[in-house]
Amino acid sequence: MADRKEQEALLDFDYSKYGFKDEDAVYDFVSEPGLDEEKIKLISRLKGEPEWMTEIRLKAYRIFLEKPMPTWGVKLDDIDFDSIVYYARPTRKVADSWDEVPEYIRRTYERLGIPEAERKYLGGVEAQYDSEVVYSRMRKELEEKGILFMSMDEALKRYPELVRKYFGTVVPPSDNKFAALNTAVWSGGTFVYVPKGVKVDIPLQAYFRINLQNLGQFERTLIIAEEDSFVHYIEGCTAPIYDTHTLHAAVVEVIVKKGAHVRYTTIQNWSRNVLNLVTKRAVVEERGFMEWISGELGSGRNMKYPSSILRGRGARTDILSMSFANTGMHHDTGGKVIIMAPDCRATITSKSISKGGGISTYRGLVKVLPDAERARISVSCDALIMDEDSVSNTYPYIEIEADRVNIAHEAKVGKIGEDQVFYLMSRGLTEQEATTLIVMGFIEPLSKELPMEYAIELNRLIELEMEGSVG
Amino acid sequence: MKDTLVIRDLKAGIEGKEILRGINLTVRKGEIHAIMGPNGSGKSTLGLVIMGHPSYEVYGGEVIFNDRNLLDMEPHERAQAGLFLAFQHPLEIDGVRFSTFLWQAYSHRFGNGRKPDIIKFRKELRQWLKNLGLPENMTDRYLNVGFSGGEKKRAEIVQMAILKPEIAILDEIDSGLDIDAVRIVAENVKRIKQETGMGVILITHYQRILNYIVPDYVHVMVDGRIVEEGGPELAETLEKEGYARYGVAEEV
Ligand SMILES: Nc1ncnc2c1ncn2[C@@H]1O[C@H](COP(=O)(O)OP(=O)(O)OP(=O)(O)O)[C@@H](O)[C@H]1O
Ligand SMILES: [Mg+2]
């Protein structure tokens, strides 16, 4: 009887302190705020990149300048691109032992419980601190299977041909303004390569931390799963609380080959001053399966729509997302599925919670192209509104150009039932506990998909968000 | 008075509409009180008001338990003080596992600020599910979601067994149960009563359950008042004659 809540009772983590900052941080290099071609060349030079990458960056920068700001989603017009620090390198070295990581950074990750998690249940860990990956290590037995797991920068040095072959093929810089910006100034992020037929049975985790005020974090992740392989990649994100905006604009590209299966899990707990504008996309070949699972708890303004392009016959995708918009927060999230081949299946499940005036918007697109006959799609959006001040919106776009497509769509908006709260209270739970339990039940479809430790963490985070929610 | 629930001249209702019109009832630990009465007479309302449902308003009277004024207490405080209500219509709570929820309730009742013994809890839970004829995997199912009507009622009794109240209000615990299930539920209620010495307020429409759980007192509630009180024989009379003698029209 593996009961999470009971397990939780036996564990004793303190997740209440994500918001701290490292006062004694020292940096090897911090670029001046603002961006121009010279700065981009400098970043590329500091990293010792091949010329073709410098060219990609410069081209993307021009696209960034030309592209208009999105006029939908969250408020973006107050982003001051001139005040952002685009590159901050804490150290030059990617350590493969925590002892070699600078003391103040190690302390941070220890507070966040990362080294312990690595010892207990992860196959590999990568830790990015501001612009650079400072720690990266994978278990030996995984290395021996030919799996590659390292920072994108290192991959560019060690496997330039592989990077060149796939970089920007799933998310081209022309996709949107922030994808262009990321391509111009990207730094850090993860590179994962799983050879044909190899199944990675324990998750690989990347941990992203922003420490410097006004830093923009632009990590770039590329996952390549060869035929019939499997990998579960998890990312976690935190940052200190500042009173100015911090921009996080990542790009994630996933390539799922024939019969491969990639599960991509995100636990996003940025502080509220972080603007999270992320482009995540996968292309899925024949019989491949792409799963996007995300719990979005932090970030004052959040736009993300993990996407799957089902390109091969019988490809599948599940997009499961939970977002919690508390006071002052605006989450505009959802998922996109583009189906290009016959016999594909897709499900999008969105669970949103709005509380204390928070705004949650589901925005989704399902597009079925003429060749994609017999596609089966199910979209369900469930919104929970905790009080009168909070808002929930739903924008489900569906375009079907193929025949014999089966699509189910369901949207529900609800409040917490007074009778349910009373029922739980009649057994001795406080009003806050009762409400929290109901909220956790609401997001159970997500948490049951997470490894137990993450489900526990998610529940802890929900508990924190629910604190002080009843008078 | 210790170990006693005292209800004095309780008047309560909803949105200004009076449903309970002056209820007097004293229940000591160890006693069994049956409350019978026609549909809509206010029996469930009484249970919900004793437990503190926020939709109901109290217009007068008092409810005292172990010398504490219950009406000043939140529902969870009443539960923690040893009161239990088995609902006529137990609520379904999606995504919340039966055992998760019950462990939290158990921790409140027996934790004294610390976590109680989880092994002991699991053992008890497994035993009581068995006693009530419920499958062991019930613990992993979501609270009351997809439970059949009878399973919901049995699960209420499992909750009661685990939480060991001092006074339990069982609101139509026998409705919707098949003949064997009535016996199983009744036997387990008796067993819990023996083990804990709890007092029971048993709301029912049927004589059948009273054959197993013989009440010390039977109260007849009509239109928000207790109109007659007696021993077990009163229930038998009602079974034969119905409520016509209280001026209540027979149901069609
Ligand atoms: N939430 C409510 N809103 C309006 N009226 C209510 C509400 N709850 C109860 N009532 C009314 O109060 C009266 C008493 O209801 P109650 O449920 O207490 O009856 P009961 O004796 O338990 O009946 P039954 O035997 O059918 O269970 C009924 O007329 C009912 O319609
Ligand atoms: Mg009733």
Side-chain angles (χ1 to χ4, degrees):
Chain A
M1 196 163 57
D3 190 297
R4 286 186 189 129
K5 193 77 191 187
E6 292 169 15
Q7 288 279 355
E8 183 179 346
L10 305 172
L11 294 166
D12 190 25
F13 292 160
D14 182 8
Y15 284 107
S16 62
K17 304 183 195 74
Y18 286 103
F20 62 89
K21 60 185 156 223
D22 299 329
E23 304 283 359
D24 54 350
V26 267
Y27 288 84
D28 176 62
F29 177 83
V30 178
S31 76
E32 292 295 313
L35 196 59
D36 53 40
E37 296 205 358
E38 285 317 304
K39 283 208 187 74
I40 290 170
K41 284 182 196 156
L42 177 65
I43 293 171
S44 193
R45 199 163 60 239
L46 283 166
K47 288 172 172 291
E49 287 179 347
E51 211 166 294
W52 60 265
M53 184 53 83
T54 318
E55 280 310 309
I56 287 180
R57 289 178 180 276
L58 291 170
K59 244 165 97 184
Y61 179 59
R62 283 165 217 140
I63 296 170
F64 163 72
L65 292 177
E66 283 163 18
K67 279 256 171 197
M69 276 295 226
T71 50
W72 46 277
V74 306
K75 180 177 162 64
L76 295 172
D77 58 8
D78 58 349
I79 298 178
D80 177 10
F81 288 105
D82 295 332
S83 69
I84 293 171
V85 173
Y86 288 85
Y87 183 63
R89 171 164 82 183
T91 124
R92 286 173 191 227
K93 185 167 179 264
V94 183
D96 61 0
S97 130
W98 286 106
D99 293 336
E100 291 166 37
V101 173
E103 160 79 30
Y104 70 92
I105 297 180
R106 188 174 69 231
R107 233 177 24 230
T108 292
Y109 287 108
E110 271 167 6
R111 265 173 97 168
L112 297 166
I114 307 301
E116 197 193 346
E118 178 181 7
R119 278 193 302 278
K120 284 191 183 153
Y121 52 82
L122 293 169
V125 166
E126 183 186 281
Q128 176 159 351
Y129 191 90
D130 290 338
S131 298
E132 290 288 353
V133 172
V134 294
Y135 175 88
S136 173
R137 188 188 164 109
M138 180 171 56
R139 289 192 188 197
K140 233 197 158 61
E141 59 273 26
L142 299 185
E143 216 166 283
E144 282 161 2
K145 287 183 180 168
I147 298 156
L148 305 178
F149 174 67
M150 63 191 70
S151 79
M152 268 300 280
D153 294 276
E154 200 184 336
L156 182 58
K157 285 201 185 79
R158 289 173 53 193
Y159 303 94
E161 289 320 306
L162 213 46
V163 173
R164 194 170 188 175
K165 183 171 169 194
Y166 292 106
F167 188 96
T169 56
V170 184
V171 180
S174 56
D175 190 80
N176 67 73
K177 193 172 181 75
F178 292 94
L181 179 61
N182 175 284
T183 310
V185 298
W186 74 268
S187 184
T190 318
F191 176 82
V192 180
Y193 178 85
V194 190
K196 189 171 170 177
V198 171
K199 307 221 178 339
V200 190
D201 45 11
I202 33 179
L204 304 174
Q205 156 127 35
Y207 201 89
F208 297 96
R209 176 85 182 161
I210 300 176
N211 185 62
L212 193 70
Q213 186 159 13
N214 293 330
L215 181 89
Q217 193 176 60
F218 304 98
E219 90 269 10
R220 181 98 191 183
T221 290
L222 176 59
I223 299 175
I224 303 155
E226 292 287 0
E227 287 181 19
D228 298 314
S229 65
F230 168 72
V231 65
H232 183 187
Y233 173 83
I234 303 177
E235 61 174 358
C237 326
T238 65
I241 298 153
Y242 288 118
D243 49 12
T244 55
H245 302 314
T246 299
L247 179 61
H248 175 252
V251 167
V252 174
E253 300 180 281
V254 183
I255 290 130
V256 185
K257 300 265 180 88
K258 259 191 200 170
H261 176 186
V262 175
R263 172 174 266 219
Y264 191 110
T265 299
T266 305
I267 305 283
Q268 185 268 98
N269 188 35
W270 294 121
S271 50
R272 307 240 168 128
N273 51 290
V274 174
L275 260 91
N276 195 44
L277 309 169
V278 177
T279 309
K280 291 181 167 169
R281 191 172 306 154
V283 290
V284 189
E285 304 292 354
E286 230 175 285
R287 290 179 292 102
F289 182 26
M290 179 67 208
E291 287 180 281
W292 296 104
I293 297 169
S294 45
E296 307 275 328
L297 285 127
S299 167
R301 292 182 242 164
N302 189 12
M303 283 171 80
K304 78 166 250 197
Y305 320 93
S307 312
S308 297
I309 299 172
L310 306 183
R311 204 159 64 176
R313 186 165 189 158
R316 277 192 297 152
T317 190
D318 281 354
I319 302 175
L320 179 54
S321 79
M322 184 282 289
S323 108
F324 196 132
N326 213 328
T327 308
M329 292 163 69
H330 185 177
H331 281 192
D332 195 288
T333 61
K336 269 198 260 182
V337 179
I338 294 158
I339 308 182
M340 303 167 70
D343 301 304
C344 290
R345 275 184 289 159
T347 65
I348 300 179
T349 310
S350 156
K351 293 260 172 185
S352 76
I353 301 155
S354 326
K355 172 173 171 272
I359 305 170
S360 296
T361 299
Y362 167 81
R363 194 183 298 274
L365 171 69
V366 174
K367 194 171 176 143
V368 183
L369 297 178
D371 286 343
E373 294 176 330
R374 296 178 300 277
R376 298 180 72 86
I377 303 133
S378 133
V379 179
S380 100
C381 313
D382 240 354
L384 190 60
I385 302 183
M386 302 293 293
D387 47 57
E388 302 291 313
D389 305 329
S390 303
V391 179
S392 159
N393 306 305
T394 307
Y395 302 110
Y397 301 100
I398 295 173
E399 297 166 26
I400 297 178
E401 296 166 16
D403 292 330
R404 279 164 288 155
V405 170
N406 181 315
I407 180 152
H409 178 259
E410 181 192 27
K412 276 190 296 215
V413 183
K415 294 198 167 78
I416 288 210
E418 189 183 54
D419 284 328
Q420 290 187 325
V421 174
F422 172 69
Y423 182 65
L424 297 178
M425 288 180 79
S426 80
R427 303 303 190 238
L429 276 62
T430 64
E431 186 174 358
Q432 170 130 348
E433 287 169 332
T435 315
T436 303
L437 203 56
I438 293 167
V439 170
M440 285 177 185
F442 176 75
I443 63 154
E444 165 77 5
L446 177 100
S447 43
K448 76 165 190 251
E449 293 301 326
L450 300 175
M452 193 183 71
E453 293 78 5
Y454 294 85
I456 291 170
E457 178 175 352
L458 189 73
N459 281 351
R460 287 284 158 104
L461 294 172
I462 297 276
E463 260 164 28
L464 290 176
E465 294 296 329
M466 294 298 295
E467 259 169 32
S469 62
V470 285
Chain B
M1 266 181 290
K2 212 176 142 5
D3 295 337
T4 309
L5 176 72
V6 183
I7 301 164
R8 262 188 226 113
D9 199 24
L10 180 64
K11 294 183 177 134
I14 208 155
E15 287 162 7
K17 177 186 156 220
E18 197 171 78
I19 300 169
L20 302 180
R21 302 161 184 267
I23 299 285
N24 290 290
L25 185 67
T26 298
V27 180
R28 287 175 202 84
K29 269 187 88 172
E31 292 178 350
I32 297 173
H33 293 250
I35 298 184
M36 305 183 78
N39 293 132
S41 56
K43 304 179 298 297
S44 293
T45 301
L46 178 63
L48 293 167
V49 170
I50 294 173
M51 210 64 226
H53 193 294
S55 296
Y56 294 87
E57 298 143 0
V58 173
Y59 306 123
E62 53 183 11
V63 183
I64 310 287
F65 179 50
N66 283 342
D67 298 321
R68 295 171 72 189
N69 181 359
L70 273 194
L71 299 179
D72 284 346
M73 291 158 69
E74 293 281 314
H76 70 278
E77 295 169 325
R78 302 183 196 202
Q80 288 169 17
L83 231 53
F84 183 90
L85 172 64
F87 283 55
Q88 183 175 356
H89 305 289
L91 279 292
E92 299 187 359
I93 306 198
D94 207 5
V96 174
R97 284 172 212 282
F98 185 71
S99 61
T100 303
F101 142 77
L102 196 53
W103 165 246
Q104 210 169 336
Y106 181 83
S107 304
H108 273 297
R109 183 105 173 92
F110 301 108
N112 294 318
R114 289 184 304 124
K115 289 281 171 204
D117 184 351
I118 197 163
I119 312 282
K120 183 163 167 271
F121 165 76
R122 283 186 182 164
K123 221 176 111 192
E124 278 187 46
L125 180 53
R126 216 171 301 138
Q127 186 57 49
W128 281 108
L129 285 168
K130 209 168 144 200
N131 293 348
L132 269 303
L134 290 170
E136 197 172 309
N137 69 13
M138 206 82 173
T139 54
D140 286 337
R141 288 180 57 188
Y142 301 141
L143 185 52
N144 292 326
V145 178
F147 289 21
S148 76
E151 284 171 341
K152 282 182 188 167
K153 301 279 169 149
R154 293 177 199 220
E156 293 286 286
I157 299 301
V158 172
Q159 293 182 37
M160 179 173 81
I162 295 293
L163 297 175
K164 301 180 185 57
E166 299 188 26
I167 303 282
I169 306 159
L170 308 180
D171 192 355
E172 296 198 24
I173 198 68
D174 53 340
S175 293
L177 293 184
D178 64 51
I179 296 164
D180 293 333
V182 171
R183 182 179 45 78
I184 292 169
V185 163
E187 278 168 359
N188 280 284
V189 170
K190 264 164 75 179
R191 184 156 162 189
I192 298 163
K193 180 180 170 287
Q194 264 157 24
E195 287 180 15
T196 63
M198 68 179 179
V200 178
I201 300 175
L202 191 91
I203 298 170
T204 183
H205 287 297
Y206 307 108
Q207 170 62 32
R208 181 182 295 277
I209 193 166
L210 301 179
N211 292 338
Y212 299 107
I213 308 174
V214 180
D216 301 299
Y217 307 91
V218 175
H219 312 264
V220 182
M221 191 190 272
V222 175
D223 197 18
R225 288 192 185 87
I226 291 179
V227 294
E228 188 168 1
E229 290 174 313
E233 70 293 341
L234 178 54
E236 283 165 35
T237 315
L238 291 175
E239 177 91 354
K240 282 193 219 100
E241 299 179 6
Y243 298 107
R245 60 180 170 147
Y246 308 109
V248 179
E250 281 213 30
E251 270 182 83
V252 268

